[in-house]
Amino acid sequence: RGLGLLTEREREILCLLTDGLTMGAISKNLNISLTTVRNHIQRLMAKLNVHSRIEAVTCAHRHRTV
């Protein structure tokens, strides 16, 4: 699957998603804009071939990425 294709930042954001953080909380936590968070999430979802954040989190748990 595409987990190996994720950048370090995408993995970091995926981990924060698995912790239940919202886009706003991720933005504040990493000191980046909401747009940047959204773009990272869209790219990581495309790489994982999933259609939602929930699917991305499930994929991360299934493959023990987090």
Side-chain angles (χ1 to χ4, degrees), residues 25-48:
I26 292 171
S27 171
K28 288 179 183 177
N29 189 305
L30 299 178
N31 199 31
I32 58 177
S33 73
L34 278 171
T35 302
T36 301
V37 172
R38 187 196 70 222
N39 290 339
H40 282 303
I41 292 172
Q42 287 176 340
R43 280 194 298 276
L44 75 84
M45 286 175 29
K47 289 178 181 179
L48 297 177

Side-chain angles (χ1 to χ4, degrees), residues 1-65:
R1 207 136 164 153
L3 288 168
L5 300 174
L6 297 181
T7 65
E8 184 176 330
R9 181 62 108 184
E10 290 165 347
R11 285 180 180 274
E12 184 176 17
I13 288 175
L14 181 56
C15 286
L16 294 172
L17 285 174
T18 63
D19 288 341
L21 272 68
T22 63
M23 285 179 47
I26 292 171
S27 171
K28 288 179 183 177
N29 189 305
L30 299 178
N31 199 31
I32 58 177
S33 73
L34 278 171
T35 302
T36 301
V37 172
R38 187 196 70 222
N39 290 339
H40 282 303
I41 292 172
Q42 287 176 340
R43 280 194 298 276
L44 75 84
M45 286 175 29
K47 289 178 181 179
L48 297 177
N49 195 30
V50 297
H51 302 331
S52 72
R53 286 180 240 162
I54 297 293
E55 284 183 283
V57 168
T58 300
C59 180
H61 283 296
R62 186 180 310 122
H63 292 48
R64 303 175 205 274
T65 303

